[in-house]
Amino acid sequence: MYLEGIATYFSEKLVPGNPKSVYFSYDEKGEDWFSFCQENYMKLVEAFKDELENGSVNMEQEWFRLSGGKQFGYSRLGYYLGTSFVRDLCKRLTASEALTLLANGDITNSVDNWFKAQLLNKG
């Protein structure tokens, strides 16, 4: 989630000006996917967190591969959550700190805290 979020977040920064959906779909056909993510954000957060906690063996397949998407009908939804995670990281860390968090920090703790904050703020 972190790595895909880093890639997408910094793509937006390095090549600005595209519709948001392009950074996820890499073409002009991702609006439905992007709208689904925005409209169902909390459902995605809750489902992803549940799978993390349950140690799902299909986690990567379902959330990060084109061949996934069985649960919600759209594949690669983890990219959207990962980008949201990194966007929030960059509000409190420098870009350098966010880029090196995996190597220099406790990424698991950061992800856990982010999910807790998302779930607390859902109301």
Side-chain angles (χ1 to χ4, degrees):
M1 182 179 101
Y2 165 78
L3 294 175
E4 300 305 347
I6 285 286
T8 304
Y9 177 81
F10 284 101
S11 292
E12 292 175 343
K13 297 297 179 195
L14 294 170
V15 185
N18 290 311
K20 289 274 189 198
S21 63
V22 169
Y23 298 102
F24 297 96
S25 64
Y26 312 111
D27 59 28
E28 299 292 332
K29 299 177 184 171
E31 276 303 315
D32 288 341
W33 181 94
F34 189 71
S35 292
F36 174 83
C37 290
Q38 290 178 304
E39 293 165 11
N40 295 281
Y41 180 74
M42 285 312 303
K43 288 180 184 175
L44 298 176
V45 167
E46 290 167 352
F48 194 97
K49 177 72 171 149
D50 286 346
E51 288 199 36
L52 271 179
E53 289 174 350
N54 295 326
S56 172
V57 294
N58 295 321
M59 187 86 182
E60 182 181 340
Q61 172 75 31
E62 176 65 20
W63 292 90
F64 296 100
R65 295 219 178 137
L66 286 171
S67 57
K70 308 238 183 312
Q71 184 173 0
F72 291 102
Y74 288 97
S75 64
R76 301 174 63 238
L77 297 172
Y79 284 64
Y80 187 81
L81 294 178
T83 304
S84 295
F85 169 67
V86 172
R87 189 173 287 118
D88 287 348
L89 271 181
C90 288
K91 289 177 183 174
R92 61 181 182 80
L93 301 175
T94 67
S96 179
E97 290 169 329
L99 281 168
T100 58
L101 185 64
L102 185 61
N104 297 330
D106 182 2
I107 190 70
T108 302
N109 192 39
S110 294
V111 170
D112 286 343
N113 288 337
W114 181 79
F115 274 109
K116 288 175 188 171
Q118 299 308 297
L119 295 169
L120 281 174
N121 294 324
K122 73 178 179 179

